[in-house]
Amino acid sequence: MKTPLHRLLALGATAVLATGTLTACGSSDESANGGTPVKGGTIVYAHEQEPPCIFGGWIQQAYISRQVLDGLVTLDDNDQVQPWLATAWKVSPDGKTYTFTLKDGVKFTDGTPLDAEAVAYNFDYWENKGGNSTAKVSIDPYFKSAKAIDATHVEITLTHPYTPFLTLITQGYFGIQSPTALKNRSAKENCEQPIGSGGFTVAEWKHGQEVILKKNPNYTSWPATAKHQGPAIVDEVQWKFVPDGVSRYASLTTGQTDVVYDVPTVNWKEAESKFDTTLYITPGKPVSAYINTVKGVFTDKLVRQAFSYGADRKSAVEAGFHGVIPYEGNGAVSQATPDYNADAAKDYAYDPDKANALLDQAGWTGRDSDGYRTKNGKQLFVKFPYPAGAVINTEGAVVLQVLQEQWKKIGFNVKLIPATQAEVFAGKYSGPDAYDASPFYWTSPSPSILWIVWRPSTEANPNGNNQSFYNNDELARVIDEANTSTDPAKASELYQQAQQIISDNAVTLPLYTQNSTYAAAKDLKDFWLEKSQGEPVFADAYFTK
Amino acid sequence: MSALTLPARPAIRFDLRARPGTVLALLVVAFLVLAALVPGLLTHRSPTAIDLQNNLAHPSWSHPFGTDDAGRDLYTRVVYGARESLGIGLGATALAMAVAILLGFTAGLAGGWVDVVITRALEVVFAFPVLLLALLLISIRGPSVGTVIVAVGLGSAPGYARMVRGQVRSVRQSGYVEAAGALGHRRTTVIRRHLFPNAIRPLVAVMTLGVGQSIVWASGLAFLGLGVSPPSSEWGALLDAGRQYITTSWWLEILPGLVIVLVALAVTSLGRTLQHRLEGAAR
């Protein structure tokens, strides 16, 4: 396997960081696992964000829909695609046709068969019926059609070869739902209780509190990566929404919950000693700020570069997250992403002198009474809204405040505006007039995420995800060539070139990696995270006495 | 003639020896006012100066309140936060009073259907908790100091308005107002000279209490992340930020919390003293 060294390093780092439950799995020695396994029971899990629907295009939705829906294929810990609903697949020599063989006899929890027709219907649902925005943009550029050949064979045709295709469909956005349910039920029912073939079904959603997941006793379609064969071992999962990190972690320490998501990093050391912990660095676009390149001060590349040089992001991240969450210097994709460009991550190391020189060069030479730079009487002002809670937690907010103070020293007046989840979903801070810089992540197991985020937005083919409003045809060409290249080495080189172009133009401000940190009670075994984006898996988990 | 005698203007005098609590309260409020007006006198540091090497430092001589997660001096942040906290407290109370006086006097003086409409409307608004009204307004306008002032001010106005209306009605029926009317004074003169001062006087104390209450409400909103924008060190925002560290760096939560309690106590205690004096003088 021709894998670039840095990619191996990135993988290695991820693997090393995944401690506790991930490494403890697979041992058949019960005493080593500490206790006798028990059948049944209820896992109480505390999550941070409550999504608008169980299934959808946000990673927070993939986390929960993974419990209810199965996918065609899954990703193992070595980034290899493994069977799930599809037991085998064939790729045509031209790389444009994928034929999947489905596991026989799988039924949705409404009793209808999960056959090739159903799979083809789901592809059409994501792509043409607004079923899942992220599934759509992931395959959009190259997807042509999906059709059932017979009951157990489905054929997906692409317009071009698209090597990341298999890896992309391992994400939770590609969970297969019952076409009967999708067609015959109301939008509200499909939103709140999607019908799949997974290890659990949604019994009830108490909004603002929890989703009750009940075991599917007829489960037959676990993935090849499952830790056990058969239906879920526990009877129920109570998926609670606890937005406050302190309360979430406290609920674990007091035994009210068995597993918690996003452990406050200040408690991480203690959590490591008391619980089984997992730190998963999510591949895809890290937490980095989109920089508005069409309006305001950042239309000037020199100012963008000065902004990147002008604050010690690395030290701020290390302090703000107490050394637990890694700094990410590559704003295009995170270090856990295949074909990561580690050199680009080193650009823009903290250099206030250089930042000052760039701003002088850009003509921001005046100073107002508050010490901020001015040019032709206009202040060097940066409007910086950030999705508080949903994307930037309280620790991330401190990082931004540290940077704000450093930017102030070189003459930037950065106004931080915490935006609520409701405001973000309502689109209050979207569009070129709404911000100068605003941080977001976009997880993906493949560097092809670059196409989603950086595809030029044209009138004929707008790209609402290009939130730096940065149209660079050369960049688009390189990413497209990488996506359609059948030579992995060539593709890797091109993806890295694309990251370098993004870095050179300073159209995104790198901050830190998006992560899943989990802590689980020691008496809960075989709770694990799948590889594509760290979706938690409860179907194999069991308690010990 | 006694019915015609105007109530004596109360002499606001504090017997310092008799009430050490009042002295303490006055000191706290003096410190607060000083912090709000000239914070630079009380600390030489900047409230936003970052020192990552010294973050989460315990309280010590050089950092009496310790430092926060970005190494900022917490004492300095509390001092600089006073302006916003006090500003919100005073601003919200002033707004509440203005609205209350307008509505209360209109209802109390006009009587009839105007009174009925205003009273019923106030009762409807009164049925909602202040914080709920504030949350509604903030969700529409987005969080900022101005919005918090308006939100807390409008939220607490109905209670005051009812009080003003009651005062207006009772003063209106008092002997000296009737006498002034009987003596042929013009209505506006009666309102200005007799009704207004006597209806408002008892409210001065309530207003002082309101300042303390508004500071607490504003802190509550900031604690919910709905107050002021970072890196402001408004006290509620400090509490919100410190929450994360309650088990590991107690000072970040406990000390700003104590300051809020102390200030609310001091302002309330002064309000009560004022109330006793004024009521005593008025009776």
Side-chain angles (χ1 to χ4, degrees), chain A residues 217-246:
Chain A
N218 306 315
Y219 191 43
T220 55
S221 46
W222 47 89
T225 49
K227 310 283 176 216
H228 91 295
Q229 320 276 307
I233 301 166
V234 294
D235 298 325
E236 190 179 302
V237 175
Q238 294 176 0
W239 187 292
K240 295 193 181 289
F241 302 108
V242 186
D244 174 43
V246 182

Side-chain angles (χ1 to χ4, degrees), chain A residues 500-513:
Chain A
Q500 193 61 54
I501 295 173
I502 292 164
S503 178
D504 288 346
N505 288 285
V507 288
T508 174
L509 178 85
L511 292 170
Y512 49 89
T513 58

Side-chain angles (χ1 to χ4, degrees), chain A residues 430-452:
Chain A
S430 60
D433 295 316
Y435 58 89
D436 295 302
S438 191
F440 263 95
Y441 60 79
W442 194 322
T443 66
S444 172
S446 159
S448 63
I449 182 74
L450 292 170
W451 181 257
I452 296 180

